[in-house]
């Protein structure tokens, strides 16, 4: 099992590091899972650290993919706004172009695997928890996107789908997990199981021990489908109390301007999806049971010091010092 550190590829982050390879070793990591930060990928990161690549994604994309102009106007206010947000006119080719460009970056980077979110949620849905689209709609559309992107080309990496707690792939219903995997034609397909996202599906969880037990129950439910789990995004989230208090309605201060509303909603999402380090040894049995190829420390941190401290905390929970 390779242990990786999640790191955005931006100059502001990379300038915090001198010897990045030594920084990884000091955290017990073998390499990186990177996220493109909108800048040219750096050539200074040692090739030995190039392992995972998290593909770009839009949380709210299905209506754009379908060309549903009425829904887009309702959410964005005008065609000018959604064209600016997505980088082109509504429809498939705009999204496919953006995803293909990112796949090409992953190839250039030399990624051993890529990660793709399978979910759809608007700013408003993030507050109301009243969904526009079903799990099946999102899964079927995502499988269509993936198949169009990958085609029959022999890609040099594994293609891993990541679970969320929004409509789409949640890893709570085995029949939906099977529907997604069966819908993807690529041979090198698998799952990047995000532990914190899975915990967000049950707002009754109060302790990390309850969270670990919940993950075990979902693994039990999935049975043989667990063989598709190739990696783990490791972090925890116990935000049920916040979710119960702040969802089910639109906040009265929700901005009218879409970009301001998006930022407002993003701060709300960060309160739900906290990306905190595990402090309970209960997570050790979960990791040992899954036996993933990749374990990624995907933790919230404002800078290098906080990032490394969070990884050390989680390593101790895993029994690694």
């Amino acid at each position: 099992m390779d242990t990786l550190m999640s790191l955005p590829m931006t100059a502001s982050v990379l300038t915090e590091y001198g010897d990045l390879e030594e920084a990884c070793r000091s955290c017990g990591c073998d390499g990186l899972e990177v996220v493109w930060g909108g800048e040219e990928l750096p050539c200074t990161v040692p090739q030995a650290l190039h392992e995972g690549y998290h593909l770009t994604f839009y949380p709210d994309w299905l209506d754009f993919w379908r060309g549903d102009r009425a829904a887009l106007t309702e959410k964005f206010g005008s065609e000018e706004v959604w064209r600016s947000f997505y980088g082109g006119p509504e429809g498939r080719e705009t999204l496919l172009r953006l995803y293909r460009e990112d796949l090409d970056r992953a190839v250039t980077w030399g990624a051993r695997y890529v990660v793709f979110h399978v979910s759809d949620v608007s700013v408003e849905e993030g507050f109301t928890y009243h969904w526009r689209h079903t799990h099946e709609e999102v899964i079927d559309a995502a499988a269509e996107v993936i198949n169009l992107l990958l085609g029959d080309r022999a890609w040099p990496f594994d293609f891993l789908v990541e679970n969320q707690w929004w409509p789409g792939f949640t890893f709570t219903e085995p029949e939906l997990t099977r529907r997604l995997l069966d819908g993807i034609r690529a041979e090198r397909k698998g799952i990047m199981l995000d532990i914190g996202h899975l915990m967000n599906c049950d707002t009754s969880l109060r302790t990390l021990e309850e969270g670990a037990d919940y993950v075990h129950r979902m693994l039990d439910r999935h049975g043989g489908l667990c063989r598709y789990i190739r990696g783990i995004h490791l972090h925890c989230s116990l935000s049920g109390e916040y979710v119960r208090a702040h969802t089910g309605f639109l906040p009265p201060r929700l901005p009218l301007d879409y970009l301001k509303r998006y930022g407002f909603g993003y701060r709300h999402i960060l309160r739900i999806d906290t990306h905190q380090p595990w402090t309970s040894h209960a997570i050790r049995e979960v990791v040992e049971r899954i036996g993933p190829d990749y374990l990624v420390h995907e933790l919230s941190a404002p800078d290098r010091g906080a990032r490394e401290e969070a990884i050390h905390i989680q390593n101790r929970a895993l029994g690694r010092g």
Side-chain angles (χ1 to χ4, degrees):
M1 177 176 70
D2 284 0
T3 300
L4 309 178
M5 176 170 60
S6 176
L7 201 68
M9 288 290 98
T10 63
S12 60
V13 170
L14 291 174
T15 53
E16 295 184 284
Y17 293 89
D19 187 337
L20 190 51
E21 199 163 5
E22 173 56 31
C24 280
R25 283 196 296 269
S26 70
C27 292
C29 293
D30 304 296
L32 301 172
E33 179 183 294
V34 302
V35 182
W36 181 56
E39 307 167 7
E40 186 174 349
L41 288 173
C43 59
T44 55
V45 178
Q47 188 64 41
L49 303 181
H50 295 207
E51 296 213 32
Y53 189 97
H54 199 307
L55 292 168
T56 190
F57 65 95
Y58 288 93
D60 180 1
W61 62 274
L62 186 52
D63 290 326
F64 185 79
W65 175 255
R66 290 176 168 178
D68 190 335
R69 298 174 69 88
L72 290 170
T73 299
E74 178 186 343
K75 289 185 287 188
F76 288 84
S78 72
E79 180 175 348
E80 180 183 6
V81 175
W82 82 62
R83 276 177 175 262
S84 174
F85 185 79
Y86 291 108
E90 81 283 359
R92 300 176 172 220
E93 286 310 312
T94 296
L95 281 179
L96 289 174
R97 172 178 56 80
L98 294 168
Y99 289 138
R100 283 170 178 150
E101 289 172 354
D102 211 32
L103 281 172
D104 288 341
R105 279 188 288 268
V107 171
T108 301
W109 184 252
R112 295 173 60 185
Y113 70 85
V114 299
V115 182
F116 187 82
H117 281 179
V118 178
S119 65
D120 179 81
V121 62
S122 66
V123 173
E124 292 77 13
E125 290 171 289
F127 287 102
T128 65
Y129 273 46
H130 299 150
W131 315 122
R132 287 175 175 265
H133 306 297
T134 65
H135 293 297
E136 290 85 354
E137 286 179 286
V138 178
I139 283 172
D140 291 348
E144 182 182 20
V145 170
I146 293 166
N147 290 332
L148 286 169
L149 284 173
L150 300 183
D152 297 323
R153 176 176 169 181
W155 295 89
F157 44 63
D158 296 323
F159 193 94
L160 308 183
V161 288
E162 179 181 349
N163 56 299
Q164 297 271 4
W165 65 104
W166 312 118
F169 173 45
T170 62
F171 200 76
T172 59
E173 302 298 334
E175 63 273 17
L176 294 176
T177 302
R178 185 177 294 106
R179 185 186 187 113
L180 173 61
L181 293 171
D182 287 349
I184 299 172
R185 293 196 300 267
E187 290 187 9
R188 296 180 63 176
K189 61 190 173 185
I191 293 171
M192 175 62 75
L193 183 63
D194 191 297
I195 301 297
H197 292 172
L198 185 55
M199 293 172 70
N200 289 337
C201 293
D202 187 344
T203 59
S204 71
L205 299 177
R206 296 169 299 170
T207 68
L208 291 178
E209 289 72 24
E210 289 179 355
D213 183 64
Y214 177 71
V215 176
H216 278 298
R217 294 202 307 274
M218 294 304 104
L219 294 170
D220 290 342
R221 293 193 69 188
H222 278 75
L225 289 171
C226 293
R227 71 184 184 277
Y228 284 100
I229 302 174
R230 297 291 308 284
I232 294 174
H233 278 171
L234 191 58
H235 59 98
C236 66
S237 186
L238 291 172
S239 56
E241 184 176 349
Y242 174 85
V243 172
R244 291 191 296 273
H246 294 88
T247 61
F249 57 90
L250 288 176
R253 297 183 293 107
L254 192 64
L256 293 177
D257 176 82
Y258 182 78
L259 292 181
K260 292 180 180 177
R261 189 161 71 251
Y262 185 87
F264 189 93
Y266 187 72
R267 290 189 291 274
H268 165 69
I269 298 306
L270 293 179
R271 298 288 300 275
I272 298 173
D273 192 28
T274 58
H275 283 256
Q276 294 301 298
W278 276 82
T279 57
S280 169
H281 292 297
I283 194 60
R284 290 179 62 181
E285 187 178 342
V286 172
V287 173
E288 290 169 359
R289 174 179 179 178
I290 296 172
D293 296 326
Y294 308 103
L295 186 152
V296 185
H297 293 289
E298 194 180 60
L299 301 164
S300 178
D303 53 42
R304 175 182 176 177
R307 185 178 301 112
E308 293 182 353
E309 176 59 23
I311 293 174
H312 289 315
I313 290 171
Q314 195 154 260
N315 275 333
R316 288 194 288 271
L318 292 168
R320 299 181 175 183

